[in-house]
Every structure is written in structure tokens, then in C-alpha cells.
Amino acid sequence: MSEFLVNLLGERLVNGEKAEVDVHSLGSKLSLLGLYFGCSLNGPCKQFNASLCEFYSKFKKSSEHKDKLEIVFISSDQDQKQWQDFLQEMQWPALPFKDRHKKMKLWNKYKVTSIPSLVFIDAATGKVVCRNGLLVVRDDPKGLEFPWGPKPFVEVVAGPLLRNNRQTTDSGALEGSYVGVYFSAHWVSKLYRHVKKESFTQYFSEMPWLAVPYTDEARRSRLNRLYGIQGIPTLILLDTEGHMITRQGRVEILNDPDCELFPWHPRPVLELSESNAVQLHEGPCLVLFVDAEEEGELEPAKELIQPIAEKIMAKYKAKEEETPLLFFVAGEDDMSDSLRDYTNLPEAAPLLTILDMSARAKYVKDVEEITPAVVEQFVSDFLAEKLKPEPI
């Protein structure tokens, strides 16, 4: 376990007293690690930090599992003094301020898209146990449900479900069906997502599907925690066994309104569009820009990189890990032009790139001819951290 944690975090962490903390000293009994992503200048982070401090203190004093949990702070602060002042409020260690490369690797590896974020991972393997630790801190302040591992969807959703005509259906009726789990809210102001019962009733009246009752906040929270929802609207698609097919149901419906590709199993290569461009912010993405304006002209580019994308997907699926790289092809259109402008890429086509929006970094392969061997070597070098990034 120590070797894994050293690879993940490095050999040294620091605490609020500016002392180094040897990663090996985190303890042989450690089984769960909380990765706390935040920033001292962020209001919600400051508020959550106070709650987390209280939670951590109680857990370490009274839980029978106190030696099995540790938290590490991963900051996005740009000012070292502000970071140090914030760290002094914490009872747990942090990644060193200057270790920005490792911070960004963790952001990408665990698909963090907003702060504050608390992701609980298995300390021996790094696999995600719970994505939404914020709800753990809120809903289980005494830590009685440790280690907060995932439960089957049928167990979490169990109970009555509403129809908009006020009739109810037992959740058991969902068994054996594909299920879309839609996380949303009626926006009652530009600043808040507070949903009053009247707003819920009005919003739900427009929907032909089932809903968890407004009054059942505990069940809604458990579903949110199960899928680690970081933003709304989010539509998760489950297969007939309750296993997740995709977190991108909203994007899939926008791109496929006639549902011809249902149930939308992840495709190795996507054609860049306005609706799926949001996925560029979920982690590093390989984007192959080509000179194509008409429908169907992107197919040769897709066929070029698809075997490599499939190989990467299969490799990480076998390890039960998320794919570290998404694959896109982009033609000559407004979306591609906007992306080139935003990332300051040359107008050349074909152009092979890897874009890491979170790290504001790009990698560009400047060759006369792009072949499968070139793409595969480019991907391999990126995953091995052999490429030098350019700033976006």
C-alpha cells in the first residue's frame, strides 16, 4: 500500500506547521484516503472546510475506524501564503504547494470538475469508493456508515416513486429495464439551486417520468452520493442490471434525439460538436483536427484513431479504472475554430493534439503525415509523461 501511495502522492506531504509528513507514516491500517480538492479563496471551500474539520476531529476521536481513514488536501491556490494560512486550519496533511504537476494529475485521474470536492479512494488501489464526500460529511457526521462504499442502485432507490399525476409506483417496477437517473432542479434564481416544494411540483408537472418524492431528501442524497454528481443537469444511463452505461446521457440525447444509438454505450471516438464539447473539460482529450466540412468526411480520421482508442478503453476497463484520455475528431466548423482560437493552435490540418483544459496545457504533434503508428506513439508518450506541455 505504501508504494502505491508514494506513486500517487509522492514521498513527502506537508502539514499546517510547515513540517514534512512521510507518506509511509500514514499508517499500515489505513484503508481509505480522502482527496480534498479546494482553494482558500473559494467561499464554499471555506464553509466546507469548517464542516470537514469538525467531522474529521470527531471521527479521529471516537470512531472504531479512526486509524483507517486519512485526508490529503490538494489545493488550487496560486498564492503560497494564502495556501499556508488555509492549511493551518486543517488537521490533515497536504500536497506541497509547488507540486502542481501531481495536483493536476490527481484532478484528471479522479475527474474533478468543481471545488470543494472530496473523493474517497481505496488506499491500496486508488479505486474510487465514493465520489461525493461532501454529502458523506453532511449526511453521516458521526461516520457510522464508514467506508461509504457504493451500494446497488436497486437498494439505494428502493421505495415509492411519484408520477406527475400524484400516483405512486414502487421502485421494483424498474427492475429489468434500462433506467435514466436524471439529476436536475428548477432554477429559481441565477445564484441558488434551492428547490422549494412548490417549485418541485411545478417543474415535475412538465415531466412524463418518475421521480423520488420531494420529501425524501435522504434517498435523493444517497443517489447523489452514489454517482458523485458535481453539476446539474446530469443524466446517468443504467443497463438492465443496474450498471452504469454512461454519465453523458444529456449529451447523447442532444446528439441523438431519435435515439438511434440507444442505450449509448461509450464510443471510442467522438466527432466534436457544441453539445459534447463540455467533455473537453473532464480530463485530457486527444483531438485530431482534419480538413473536413461535409458530413461523412470525418470517417477516415475516426477510422485512423479508433483502434488506438479501443485499445486504451479495453486496457483501463480491465483494470476497472476510468479511461485517462478521451478521443475526438474535429473538422472545419465554428466549434473547431473556437477551440483552436481558445487553445492558440495553428490552422494546420491535419493536426494531432492532446488538450488538458484543467491544467491549461496542450501537446502538439508536428509531423507531415499522421499515421496510426504516430498516434499510438504520441498517446503512449503522453501517458508515460514523456511529453513537454505548452501553455494554453
Side-chain angles (χ1 to χ4, degrees), residues 9 12-16 18-21 38-41 72-88 90 93-104 106-107:
L9 304 172
R12 296 284 185 271
L13 303 173
V14 293
N15 61 24
K18 300 183 181 181
E20 289 190 346
V21 177
C39 176
S40 67
L41 299 180
V72 173
F73 179 50
I74 296 118
S75 170
S76 51
D77 280 282
Q78 301 299 311
D79 183 277
Q80 187 164 1
K81 185 179 185 306
Q82 291 171 338
W83 167 79
Q84 186 65 54
D85 291 344
F86 197 37
L87 185 57
Q88 287 177 354
M90 304 175 188
L95 280 185
F97 176 78
K98 294 183 179 180
D99 201 348
R100 302 194 179 195
H101 176 67
K102 196 166 289 293
K103 291 177 187 177
M104 292 315 307
L106 290 169
W107 270 75

Side-chain angles (χ1 to χ4, degrees), residues 10-302:
E11 294 186 352
R12 296 284 185 271
L13 303 173
V14 293
N15 61 24
E17 299 175 351
K18 300 183 181 181
E20 289 190 346
V21 177
D22 190 332
V23 168
H24 294 92
S25 71
L26 295 182
S28 59
K29 296 181 180 179
L30 184 68
S31 63
L32 194 70
L33 183 66
L35 300 177
Y36 170 28
F37 299 85
C39 176
S40 67
L41 299 180
N42 181 277
C45 285
K46 290 181 178 180
Q47 186 176 4
F48 175 68
N49 196 64
S51 299
L52 183 58
C53 284
E54 182 179 358
F55 171 87
Y56 183 88
S57 179
K58 288 181 179 178
F59 191 90
K60 288 296 187 179
K61 286 179 181 178
S62 59
S63 174
E64 62 179 303
H65 305 294
K66 61 184 179 182
D67 295 328
K68 297 180 180 180
L69 172 69
E70 190 51 86
I71 292 173
V72 173
F73 179 50
I74 296 118
S75 170
S76 51
D77 280 282
Q78 301 299 311
D79 183 277
Q80 187 164 1
K81 185 179 185 306
Q82 291 171 338
W83 167 79
Q84 186 65 54
D85 291 344
F86 197 37
L87 185 57
Q88 287 177 354
E89 301 175 15
M90 304 175 188
Q91 304 158 53
W92 49 84
L95 280 185
F97 176 78
K98 294 183 179 180
D99 201 348
R100 302 194 179 195
H101 176 67
K102 196 166 289 293
K103 291 177 187 177
M104 292 315 307
K105 280 187 64 179
L106 290 169
W107 270 75
N108 288 331
K109 181 178 179 66
Y110 293 106
K111 309 292 185 184
V112 176
T113 58
S114 62
I115 55 172
S117 183
L118 178 61
V119 181
F120 289 114
I121 65 171
D122 186 307
T125 65
K127 292 181 180 178
V128 174
V129 175
C130 176
R131 287 192 176 278
N132 205 328
L134 277 68
L135 290 182
V136 169
V137 172
R138 189 192 74 180
D139 298 341
D140 186 25
K142 295 182 179 180
L144 300 179
E145 297 179 31
F146 179 90
W148 310 295
K151 298 178 181 178
F153 170 73
V154 291
E155 181 179 336
V156 177
V157 80
L161 299 172
L162 285 178
R163 295 190 180 278
N164 60 13
N165 61 5
R166 299 186 180 181
Q167 293 182 347
T168 61
T169 299
D170 186 79
S171 61
L174 301 175
E175 293 185 24
S177 301
Y178 290 98
V179 176
V181 189
Y182 182 40
F183 296 86
S184 183
H186 188 195
W187 292 86
V188 294
S189 81
K190 292 183 180 179
L191 299 177
Y192 301 100
R193 286 185 299 182
H194 177 65
V195 183
K196 298 179 180 178
K197 187 172 183 178
E198 295 79 7
S199 298
F200 169 83
T201 302
Q202 177 187 346
Y203 193 38
F204 183 44
S205 68
E206 305 167 3
M207 303 177 182
W209 47 78
L210 301 168
V212 174
Y214 171 81
T215 54
D216 198 344
E217 184 175 353
R219 191 165 26 147
R220 287 189 280 121
S221 180
R222 289 195 299 270
L223 284 164
N224 198 319
R225 190 199 307 177
L226 177 64
Y227 296 114
I229 302 304
Q230 297 189 45
I232 59 172
T234 294
L235 177 61
I236 297 209
L237 267 294
L238 308 179
D239 66 16
T240 56
E241 301 295 321
H243 302 133
M244 187 189 302
I245 296 174
T246 179
R247 305 177 67 87
Q248 299 296 333
R250 175 176 173 272
V251 171
E252 295 293 355
I253 287 175
L254 290 172
N255 282 334
D256 183 27
D258 294 328
C259 301
E260 294 179 357
L261 300 176
F262 179 85
W264 304 301
H265 288 282
R267 295 187 295 284
V269 183
L270 299 174
E271 295 183 15
L272 184 67
S273 66
E274 287 189 16
S275 56
N276 66 27
V278 65
Q279 292 177 255
L280 292 171
H281 295 273
E282 293 188 356
C285 299
L286 181 145
V287 184
L288 174 57
F289 293 89
V290 295
D291 185 8
E293 297 182 8
E294 302 297 329
E295 185 175 350
E297 290 185 347
L298 287 173
E299 286 305 313
K302 290 172 69 175

